[in-house]
């Protein structure tokens, strides 16, 4: 790992698309973050409890539990109410839904990689 200042920061990535999980994992790892991939949104609470990430990148449209359902649940729990969450979605309604559910940020798919890294840095630093 490069001697990055951010290397102690953990980013949990939750997306049902394995290709997106892999891509985001590589990009964020290259930028010095530890990444925790979660493909099944039902496992996210367990992973958050175990890993205590600094930030969650959360896809909006997933089978079983959607990203906004996950986010609303996180905001209701004292343990996770202040957890930083950036919602990612290809939906035109995505930003509104993310904001209403309590997201700290939103990125529209497909996103620019520079934009992704700068958004992650902004939200973690906030």
């Amino acid at each position: 790992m490069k001697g990055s200042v951010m290397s102690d920061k953990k980013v949990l990535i939750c997306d049902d698309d394995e290709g997106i999980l892999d891509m985001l994992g590589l990009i964020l790892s290259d930028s010095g973050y530890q990444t925790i991939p979660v493909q099944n949104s039902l496992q996210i609470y367990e992973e958050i409890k175990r890993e205590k990430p600094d930030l969650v990148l959360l896809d909006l449209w997933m089978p079983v539990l959607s990203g906004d359902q996950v986010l609303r649940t996180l905001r209701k729990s004292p343990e996770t109410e202040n957890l930083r969450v950036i919602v990612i979605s290809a939906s035109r309604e995505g930003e509104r839904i993310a904001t209403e559910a309590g997201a700290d940020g939103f990125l529209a798919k497909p996103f620019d990689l520079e934009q992704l890294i700068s958004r992650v840095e902004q939200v973690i630093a906030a």
Side-chain angles (χ1 to χ4, degrees), residues 22-94:
D22 291 346
M23 180 202 57
L24 290 174
L26 281 170
I27 293 160
L28 291 168
S29 294
D30 282 351
S31 297
Y33 295 95
Q34 294 176 43
T35 58
I36 306 133
V38 177
Q39 197 167 2
N40 180 340
S41 56
L42 290 174
Q43 296 170 340
I44 192 169
Y45 306 114
E46 189 182 307
E47 286 297 320
I48 286 171
K49 200 172 229 169
R50 184 169 58 228
E51 296 286 348
K52 300 191 181 9
D54 297 285
L55 173 73
V56 175
L57 276 180
L58 184 61
D59 185 27
L60 205 51
W61 305 127
M62 292 182 288
V64 194
L65 263 186
S66 68
D68 62 314
Q69 289 174 304
V70 168
L71 182 51
R72 287 176 202 279
T73 303
L74 292 174
R75 292 296 179 241
K76 284 180 195 156
S77 165
E79 290 175 6
T80 55
E81 65 184 353
N82 296 318
L83 178 62
R84 303 257 175 229
V85 178
I86 295 176
V87 170
I88 51 178
S89 175
S91 162
R92 262 189 252 149
E93 293 290 299

